[in-house]
Amino acid sequence: MDLSDLIAQEAIIPALKANSKKQVLQIMAEKASVISGLPKHKIFKTVLQREKLGTTSVGNGIAIPHGKLLGLDKIIGVFARLEHPIDFEALDDQPVDLVFLLLAPESAGADHLKALSRVARLLRNPEIISKLRNVPEIQALHSFLTQNPSLKHSISAVL
């Protein structure tokens, strides 16, 4: 599964200001609402319910909140780099500064799990994580998230 199908450049928040996990999820639900056309309260409620089952922090300052929504026609992602790390109740007790929200149609089945796996695999790469934490431009962030080779190499030379 290619992440370029899941996340558009306009779905990236390069410096999200928030004071709590709940506020992060609210802001990201608003962005997802603009992209998907679904009501933000519906997205927020779904993601918050999933979060209550257990933290979606995967450690190393990264969280992948996710959920399935009726009315969504394709899997979408929203990425945010937090301006200040916040407590996400991570198992490693590290505050979170990178968040990838993943939303799937209720009927997505295995595709939802494949997308979640692809995001988790990408966010385990220390080189990508370092770049996501340090590159300020949305275009560069999108490139690293979607593994766009032409942009990745030109930006790597700058770093």
Side-chain angles (χ1 to χ4, degrees):
M1 177 164 287
D2 189 5
L3 287 185
S4 62
D5 296 331
L6 304 181
I7 188 161
Q9 228 171 270
E10 58 270 12
I12 295 174
I13 307 168
L16 190 149
K17 295 178 185 178
N19 297 317
S20 67
K21 175 169 57 169
K22 185 176 178 181
Q23 191 175 24
V24 167
L25 297 175
Q26 285 174 322
I27 294 168
M28 293 186 80
E30 287 176 31
K31 179 66 87 171
S33 174
V34 170
I35 293 163
S36 69
L38 294 175
K40 63 184 172 188
H41 70 274
K42 182 178 177 181
I43 296 169
F44 175 68
K45 181 181 174 187
T46 298
V47 175
L48 193 60
Q49 283 177 337
R50 168 53 190 89
E51 200 65 37
K52 287 179 181 178
L53 295 175
T55 184
T56 54
S57 172
V58 295
N60 197 28
I62 299 162
I64 310 173
H66 54 279
K68 290 184 176 182
L69 290 156
L70 186 63
L72 194 61
D73 60 354
K74 66 177 189 166
I75 299 173
I76 64 165
V78 175
F79 175 79
R81 180 175 53 207
L82 306 185
E83 198 167 87
H84 301 287
I86 61 159
D87 179 22
F88 231 84
E89 300 165 16
L91 297 177
D92 66 357
D93 291 323
Q94 297 297 310
V96 165
D97 65 336
L98 300 176
V99 182
F100 195 111
L101 172 65
L102 190 66
L103 300 171
E106 223 172 50
S107 61
D111 287 340
H112 172 73
L113 296 176
K114 288 177 189 175
L116 195 55
S117 174
R118 176 70 180 100
V119 170
R121 204 172 320 117
L122 175 75
L123 296 178
R124 277 196 304 259
N125 182 323
E127 182 182 337
I128 296 294
I129 292 305
S130 176
K131 290 175 180 175
L132 291 174
R133 286 187 169 129
N134 294 301
V135 176
E137 299 86 15
I138 289 176
Q139 184 179 15
L141 290 168
H142 185 258
S143 173
F144 292 125
L145 287 168
T146 59
Q147 298 290 292
N148 181 334
S150 60
L151 267 179
K152 186 167 66 172
H153 294 303
S154 63
I155 294 168
S156 294
V158 174
L159 298 175

